[in-house]
Amino acid sequence: MPASAPAGSVRERGLPGAAGLVAAAAVLLPVIAVPDLVWGVGGRLQPVAYPDDWQRVRDALADDPGLGDVLVLPFGAYRAFDWNDDRPQLDPAARWLPRPTVTDDTLFVDGRAVEGEDLRARAVAAALDGPRELAGLGIGWVLVEHGTPGRAVPDAVTALPLAVDGTELDLHRVPDARPGPDPSLDRVTAVVGVHACWLAVVAGSVLWITAMPSTVTLRRRPPRKRVPE
């Protein structure tokens, strides 16, 4: 909601001074909550250029009509690329590539592994040494990301045909892959329901702010008496 909306609502109720305060607070609130963002977190927020291999892989997947999703190796959700100064980050493949990706959702807390909830990821992890099993699970591609820590890539994967042979990334094709599974009806219903509830709460809050009458009693100054000249 724009910052001017609550200010306009207050102004309509006869509080011009308060309207300015509301508008100023709406503008300053993000800065007050996260003051480091004003200076780019002390100069640590800097853009990082992705290697050209990422665009090559994206183009190859977009142009190929073959079936199957993308398995990303090393099998893990977090990366520390040398071209990003080894900073920990989420694997960008899921957001960069035009096809669904399969990664490990195991969470490590204080050196202890918390098992993930993705049953398909578990099945794929158990089939890394068998391209036929991967194809049966709907894996049509294997993306190998270099320059980041992780478990060694199985020889059965490196022996697959190469679609992109790069310095930072290798993209292997898995023959005879089946289509990847569609999202379950329960998951789709849950996601749509959560978004609908969120939109209902936001819309209701906006209507309540703008439509409800003010409960603040205005104090009017007594009229000044004119002294006859």
Side-chain angles (χ1 to χ4, degrees):
M1 183 175 62
S4 59
S9 176
V10 174
R11 191 181 297 110
E12 292 176 357
R13 297 172 186 176
L15 298 174
L21 292 177
V22 171
V27 173
L28 295 176
L29 182 59
V31 179
I32 296 173
V34 191
D36 288 345
L37 289 181
V38 179
W39 296 275
V41 194
R44 288 179 294 176
L45 285 182
Q46 299 176 354
V48 176
Y50 275 62
D52 294 338
D53 285 353
W54 285 90
Q55 188 61 45
R56 292 176 58 196
V57 169
R58 179 182 175 88
D59 294 340
L61 292 173
D63 295 338
D64 195 294
L67 302 175
D69 299 334
V70 183
L71 168 62
V72 186
L73 298 179
F75 203 51
Y78 291 90
R79 298 287 186 253
F81 294 110
D82 51 8
W83 48 263
N84 193 23
D85 295 333
D86 295 323
R87 299 185 183 96
Q89 66 175 89
L90 280 173
D91 188 353
R95 287 156 291 281
W96 180 263
L97 302 181
R99 292 173 181 260
T101 61
V102 178
T103 58
D104 187 13
D105 62 344
T106 302
L107 179 64
F108 290 90
V109 180
D110 195 20
R112 303 178 64 179
V114 179
E115 194 173 31
E117 300 178 354
D118 191 343
L119 299 180
R120 186 188 182 200
R122 298 183 198 175
V124 170
L128 289 180
D129 292 324
R132 291 185 179 180
E133 289 79 2
L134 290 176
L137 292 171
I139 299 299
W141 306 85
V142 179
L143 177 65
V144 179
E145 300 177 352
H146 303 299
T148 184
R151 287 172 285 183
V153 179
D155 293 337
V157 171
T158 57
L160 291 171
L162 270 171
V164 174
D165 184 5
T167 304
E168 304 292 340
L169 301 174
D170 288 339
L171 182 64
H172 297 268
R173 188 72 172 91
V174 181
D176 304 322
R178 296 181 180 179
D182 294 327
S184 65
L185 180 60
D186 294 341
R187 178 173 296 183
V188 173
T189 303
V191 171
V192 172
V194 170
H195 282 78
C197 292
W198 177 81
L199 290 175
V201 171
V202 173
S205 301
V206 173
L207 292 176
W208 183 82
I209 293 174
T210 57
M212 291 295 291
S214 175
T215 58
V216 179
T217 303
L218 298 180
R219 297 180 61 186
R220 297 183 178 180
R221 294 181 180 179
R224 295 182 180 180
K225 296 183 179 180
R226 294 185 178 182
V227 181
E229 297 179 358

